[in-house]
Amino acid sequence: MLQIIIQGLLLSGLYALIAMGFMLIFSIGRTLNLAYGAYIMVGGYIYFWLSQQLGLPKLIGFAGAVAVGAIMGLLKHRLIVKPLKGDPVAVEISTLILAVIMQSAVVLVFGDASKILLPIIPGVVTISGAQVTYNIVAATLMSWVIILALYAFIRGTHTGRAMQAVSMDQKGAAISGVDPDRINMITWAISGGLGAAGGVFFASYTQLSPGMWVAPVIISVAIVIVGGIGSIIGTLIVAHIIGFLEIIVVAVWAPELRGVFTMLLIIGVLIMRPQGLFGREEH
Amino acid sequence: MNALEIRNLVKRFGGLTATNDLSFDLAQGESLGLIGPNGAGKTTVFSQIMGELKQTSGTITFMGREISGLSTPDRIARGISRTYQVPRPFTDLSVRENIRVGLMPDSLRAMIFGTVDRAREDEIAHSVGFATTDLDRPASELAMGDLRKLEFARTLATGAKVLLLDEVFAGLTTGEIAMIAELIQDLRGRGFTFLMVSHDLPAMEPLIDRAIAIERGTLLADGSFKDVLANAEVRASYLGEA
Amino acid sequence: MPGLAQTLFITASGAGMNLRPHHFILWALFIAGMLLMPELVGRGTLRTMVFACYLAIFAISWDILSGRTGYISFGHPFLVGIGAYTTAILTRRYGFPVEASIPIAVLVTMFGGLIVLLPALRIKGSYFALVTLAVMELMYQLVPVVRPDLTGGTRGISRLPALTRGAENGYYLAVCLMLAVALFAWLLMRTRLGTALWAIGQNEESVRGSGLSTTRLKSFAFLVSAAIAGLGGAFYAHYLGTITPRAFFDINVLFQIIVAVLIGGAGTILGPIIGAFFMVFLLEWLRPFLPGQERFFVYGAIALLIYMYQPKGIMAIIESGITRLRGART
């Protein structure tokens, strides 16, 4: 029981982190950014390359991954989203193409086989019979630090509030002196960085493989939509629902069915209540 | 029989009341002007009559039958249709094809196996003032005035005999206004029923038998055009006179 | 039977399809050209063309729903997969003859799609795309676990009965199937129904405002799309001889289908065919220069560049080229 709670909390924290970066973009442009998965994948691989293949300190590996993710986000905004003028279908499709390109790029550089990421912090602690690695505890703590920092940034800083304003009303924000273009750029960069950070932890939780990006993308889109677009609290709650759901299914049923119920939940909620469990109805 | 009977219609959006206990009748063959300032809730009334918005309470009776439970296409099939204040054309389709969509019966079988009635398409297009050379132009190339004519044509094509016109004159030249006015007069002569909204009161006056005025969703006056405009409340709200 | 032929002709020319003599000539040329291919090219090329034909069938299927109505389906591999798995299970596990298993596979695909995806047509835009993507991922996870005795688990099902022997016959079957599907879709899209579907993609509210039940129209488009996907999937499974979950319920399959449509030109019949052949042959041409994974990288990059340059695809590029040539002559 305790094991389920601990593991549920840990996985949920990870999902919340991954979903945050996605939420930023989705709440601004209602863009289904499928290439978000590419940040997750590239983040994991860059960390692997810097810290495991080059043997650099882990912190540098992590910083490198976040930096590359942020740059990818920036480039995507410049080269794809802006030229397409935010046409949602075109962006959706071009991000799908981009994600597949990134996947083949990863295969090209690192090969097709999956790789095991060494734990970021080695060691195991046993809590009432449950084996919990320090690594996943660290991942969850980091997730929470990043989520809280993001929350403080959005609520507390000028740029953060401007991001919120743009997400509610692009034109209105422009009238009140916010440059939506600059804010969009910043948002895409932060989203890329968050995705890459989430990718490092996600990879250390599962493993590195070129196809690893699909499931987290679907889960993060689902968390964001089911949680209600733009609602940080809703995102957190749904991340926990999905995290616990998966852990419970694995513990009491069968590990293979892990994703099945998540997908069923997503499909069900989207069809019955497209505005999400905690969102307002959009006009 | 009345074409349309609106009884105690209420529509609330959260705390805002867009339609407030509104009741009025529209007789068959009659032409009724709906006037009121911007934001008075005129378009919201149209949307409820057509079923695009569900009213909070109240009844909408069309030709003696309560239609609140029917979908928009079902209401149109019964003979009532509307135009939109902002035209909503199919931009990649030609003028002719836009009208064709309006003419189609709501039956897959008929859509697949039925024939295209090009003569009828031409007739409708010409009646709102399109030239033959316009018929194959895509709607994306049309100017505002033409889009409004196209909107009217597509609504006519649905075959409805009761038409709700939302700002049909906006953005039209004087010549085009005269042409649309003549078409409306012609349709009135043929027994069509109208409920229309327009800011161009002089253009609307000769086209209507009666007028009602609303403000903030509430009925202010119902009567002849002159009486309604003479009403003190209407003058206060609509014309800004105290 | 002169009556039937006459009726057919009158239905085709008199009904909304508006057929002209040059249509018959162009189709005849296209069909003849495709059927003459085995005389002109080698066996290796023929095998590549078979893949292109099946991809074109899937692309046409996707285009009928997504290219026209604007409801982007990320779940088409799911439909193709149901068709493939149904015929595979029926023939290999229950000994059905293919004559029965393929029609059943088509029906099962329509039915399965109906149950799973029809509710999704109520929701719009990205939400529809997401639900279809989740359905595909769901199938990928479910198929190996539920009744592995039937589905063969992750290893899939092998030794499916072959429908043809030899490269040439395989090609004839694939190309005839593709031509039949293309002709059917072309005729259907020339009717008023095709116009209505196209109109939904531009302004769904206006279609409802014109008195048409958009739910019925979308459902119909979806069923036709599912039937073609199931048909293509079933024949493709028998051509391959072996099917696995990864070969069907996969984002790369989805990628190939969508890219074929977009590169060729959505909302046309020739577009998805051109797109499918272009992409399949591009991959083949790249093989000698880039034997490894680089191919897929270059392939994806070319797809992205063409899409960014002209979202309406090769068809639009050709059309504007023709217009420019005509302009230069006059």
Side-chain angles (χ1 to χ4, degrees):
Chain A
M1 188 62 207
L2 190 63
Q3 188 167 0
I4 289 181
I5 293 177
I6 293 172
Q7 287 186 332
L9 278 176
L10 297 177
L11 182 64
S12 306
L14 191 58
Y15 280 174
L17 174 63
I18 294 174
M20 283 299 163
F22 187 85
M23 186 198 74
L24 288 181
I25 298 299
F26 198 73
S27 64
I28 278 200
R30 298 290 179 276
T31 308
L32 191 56
N33 176 19
L34 288 173
Y36 187 70
Y39 309 149
I40 295 175
M41 175 176 60
V42 169
Y45 273 96
I46 292 286
Y47 175 82
F48 172 78
W49 178 58
L50 291 175
S51 71
Q52 245 159 283
Q53 290 193 323
L54 300 183
L56 294 171
K58 283 166 183 163
L59 201 62
I60 293 185
F62 187 71
V66 172
V68 170
I71 292 170
M72 275 175 64
L74 267 183
L75 287 179
K76 238 187 79 186
H77 179 246
R78 277 282 138 207
L79 300 179
I80 293 185
V81 180
K82 262 191 76 171
L84 290 175
K85 296 184 190 72
D87 172 7
V89 172
V91 171
E92 231 161 71
I93 290 186
S94 55
T95 57
L96 172 76
I97 301 178
L98 188 67
V100 174
I101 295 177
M102 292 311 296
Q103 182 180 345
S104 48
V106 162
V107 175
L108 197 61
V109 178
F110 295 97
D112 217 347
S114 18
K115 301 202 164 19
I116 304 291
L117 210 57
L118 295 176
I120 300 171
I121 298 166
V124 179
V125 65
T126 309
I127 305 172
S128 69
Q131 295 242 316
V132 180
T133 59
Y134 281 133
N135 185 50
I136 178 84
V137 175
T140 310
L141 287 179
M142 272 301 278
S143 301
W144 278 99
V145 169
I146 292 173
I147 290 166
L148 291 175
L150 182 69
Y151 192 77
F153 173 73
I154 289 181
R155 286 294 160 92
T157 66
H158 181 73
T159 312
R161 280 195 298 270
M163 278 167 61
Q164 248 188 331
V166 173
S167 88
M168 285 171 193
D169 181 359
Q170 298 249 1
K171 279 183 199 132
I175 291 166
S176 53
V178 175
D179 176 4
D181 195 41
R182 197 179 70 95
I183 295 298
N184 271 326
M185 233 172 64
I186 295 175
T187 313
W188 279 87
I190 295 180
S191 165
L194 282 176
V200 175
F201 291 120
F202 190 76
S204 75
Y205 183 76
T206 57
Q207 55 185 1
L208 275 176
S209 75
M212 67 181 266
W213 60 277
V214 182
V217 157
I218 297 183
I219 288 173
S220 39
V221 187
I223 289 175
V224 170
I225 292 178
V226 175
I229 297 157
S231 158
I232 293 186
I233 305 294
T235 306
L236 282 177
I237 295 175
V238 176
H240 282 79
I241 295 177
I242 292 183
F244 274 94
L245 187 69
E246 290 201 358
I247 295 293
I248 291 171
V249 167
V250 170
V252 304
W253 217 325
E256 309 93 79
L257 293 178
R258 170 181 201 145
V260 169
F261 287 89
T262 313
M263 294 304 150
L264 284 176
L265 177 80
I266 295 169
I267 295 167
V269 171
L270 280 179
I271 291 174
M272 314 294 248
R273 222 184 124 78
Q275 73 271 35
L277 291 179
F278 304 96
R280 288 165 287 128
E281 200 168 342
E282 293 195 25
H283 293 294
Chain B
M1 196 199 315
N2 282 329
L4 204 54
E5 290 174 9
I6 309 289
R7 287 291 171 274
N8 309 104
L9 196 67
V10 175
K11 176 69 193 175
R12 289 196 195 92
F13 294 108
L16 184 94
T17 305
T19 309
N20 185 13
D21 200 24
L22 185 69
S23 302
F24 67 88
D25 290 340
L26 176 61
Q28 240 175 304
E30 191 185 20
S31 177
L32 177 62
L34 174 58
I35 60 179
N38 279 327
K42 299 173 300 242
T43 299
T44 314
V45 172
F46 276 21
S47 303
Q48 291 171 82
I49 296 174
M50 291 313 300
E52 292 149 350
L53 279 178
K54 183 105 185 74
Q55 71 264 33
T56 313
S57 64
T59 58
I60 300 167
T61 310
F62 180 69
M63 296 295 181
R65 190 177 182 282
E66 161 69 6
I67 55 169
S68 295
L70 299 181
S71 70
T72 306
D74 284 347
R75 295 182 199 207
I76 294 171
R78 280 170 199 278
I80 182 164
S81 187
R82 74 171 285 194
T83 69
Y84 292 88
Q85 199 173 348
V86 180
R88 301 167 158 193
F90 307 119
T91 43
D92 286 354
L93 299 187
S94 66
V95 167
R96 182 193 286 288
E97 285 167 323
N98 267 274
I99 296 171
R100 186 172 303 162
V101 174
L103 276 172
M104 285 180 203
D106 190 19
S107 142
L108 295 177
R109 217 186 136 79
M111 281 179 174
I112 298 172
F113 297 107
T115 46
V116 172
D117 190 347
R118 291 175 75 88
R120 182 91 185 100
E121 289 167 12
D122 287 5
E123 188 193 329
I124 292 174
H126 290 141
S127 76
V128 298
F130 280 111
T132 308
T133 47
D134 289 331
L135 293 183
D136 291 316
R137 285 172 67 196
S140 54
E141 287 179 7
L142 299 182
M144 192 55 177
D146 284 341
L147 287 179
R148 221 168 261 293
K149 293 191 290 188
L150 184 59
E151 179 89 8
F152 195 11
R154 191 163 47 72
T155 309
L156 268 182
T158 62
K161 290 280 195 287
V162 177
L163 302 178
L164 315 183
L165 307 181
D166 200 348
E167 298 288 1
V168 272
F169 296 130
L172 297 191
T173 63
T174 331
E176 286 169 329
I177 291 177
M179 177 154 218
I180 297 286
E182 196 182 320
L183 174 64
I184 294 175
Q185 292 295 24
D186 176 45
L187 293 171
R188 284 176 72 196
R190 282 156 47 191
F192 279 64
T193 307
F194 288 96
L195 174 60
M196 60 180 88
V197 164
S198 175
H199 275 105
D200 191 345
L201 296 181
M204 185 163 76
E205 185 178 2
L207 301 178
I208 57 178
D209 304 310
R210 201 179 106 222
I212 56 174
I214 62 171
E215 195 202 356
R216 293 200 207 113
T218 313
L219 188 71
L220 294 183
D222 185 340
S224 77
F225 184 71
K226 282 206 173 67
D227 291 347
V228 167
L229 277 195
N231 181 295
E233 278 184 286
V234 174
R235 298 186 77 83
S237 79
Y238 192 51
L239 306 169
E241 290 174 22
Chain C
M1 297 275 285
L4 179 67
Q6 206 177 1
T7 317
L8 274 179
F9 183 77
I10 291 171
T11 317
S13 53
M17 296 166 198
N18 190 20
L19 300 184
R20 303 273 165 75
H22 73 267
H23 290 140
F24 290 98
I25 295 168
L26 287 175
W27 271 100
L29 282 176
F30 180 49
I31 293 172
M34 293 306 280
L35 291 179
L36 275 175
M37 279 297 162
E39 311 293 326
L40 306 173
V41 299
R43 290 219 167 148
T45 313
L46 272 191
R47 283 203 186 88
T48 310
M49 290 185 82
V50 171
F51 283 105
C53 286
Y54 282 111
L55 182 57
I57 293 170
F58 305 146
I60 292 173
S61 157
W62 190 85
D63 187 55
I64 287 176
L65 178 68
S66 304
R68 310 272 166 175
T69 68
Y71 277 72
I72 301 297
S73 160
F74 282 162
H76 258 64
F78 158 76
L79 298 171
V80 173
I82 300 186
Y85 264 92
T86 308
T87 186
I89 291 171
L90 287 177
T91 50
R92 288 287 290 136
R93 307 279 188 249
Y94 295 106
F96 275 60
V98 287
E99 294 83 4
S101 72
I102 291 179
I104 295 176
V106 173
L107 290 176
V108 170
T109 310
M110 290 167 77
F111 187 68
L114 202 64
I115 295 177
V116 183
L117 291 183
L118 208 57
L121 283 171
R122 291 200 315 135
I123 52 181
K124 295 204 171 131
S126 306
Y127 295 76
F128 178 76
L130 181 65
V131 168
T132 54
L133 187 63
V135 166
M136 185 184 77
E137 186 68 16
L138 179 68
M139 284 308 278
Y140 172 60
Q141 303 204 3
L142 265 183
V143 165
V145 234
V146 176
R147 298 296 301 274
D149 54 319
L150 288 183
T151 63
T154 44
R155 279 181 298 116
I157 304 172
S158 54
R159 286 182 290 125
L160 295 184
L163 299 171
T164 54
R165 273 175 213 291
E168 284 188 18
N169 290 333
Y171 172 77
Y172 282 127
L173 180 66
V175 86
C176 287
L177 197 63
M178 181 195 79
L179 289 169
V181 165
L183 192 59
F184 167 76
W186 184 74
L187 287 172
L188 186 66
M189 288 306 145
R190 286 186 71 80
T191 66
R192 290 191 286 180
L193 183 103
T195 311
L197 293 181
W198 197 222
I200 288 181
Q202 293 159 57
N203 195 328
E204 187 171 346
E205 288 307 309
S206 281
V207 177
R208 282 176 64 79
S210 306
L212 304 181
S213 159
T214 49
T215 312
R216 194 188 300 151
L217 281 166
K218 286 185 291 182
S219 310
F220 182 78
F222 181 82
L223 278 180
V224 171
S225 178
I228 294 175
L231 183 74
F235 274 92
Y236 187 50
H238 287 289
Y239 176 76
L240 290 176
T242 303
I243 60 172
T244 59
R246 245 309 157 232
F248 286 94
F249 307 114
D250 185 77
I251 201 124
N252 280 303
V253 180
L254 170 68
F255 170 77
Q256 294 201 335
I257 295 174
I258 295 186
V259 163
V261 175
L262 296 176
I263 293 305
T268 62
I269 297 299
L270 207 51
I273 298 176
I274 292 179
F277 275 78
F278 179 79
M279 294 315 283
V280 169
F281 273 90
L282 177 66
L283 214 50
E284 275 311 298
W285 288 328
L286 288 174
R287 197 194 289 277
F289 312 103
L290 306 165
Q293 265 290 326
E294 306 92 310
R295 265 192 312 150
F296 292 92
F297 184 70
V298 175
Y299 166 87
I302 291 178
L304 187 61
L305 282 177
I306 296 183
Y307 184 64
M308 295 291 296
Y309 171 70
Q310 175 51 277
K312 288 187 173 161
I314 296 175
M315 286 290 278
I317 296 176
I318 294 174
E319 266 172 31
S320 68
I322 291 174
T323 321
R324 218 171 292 162
L325 274 179
R326 278 193 186 148
R329 252 190 292 162
T330 49

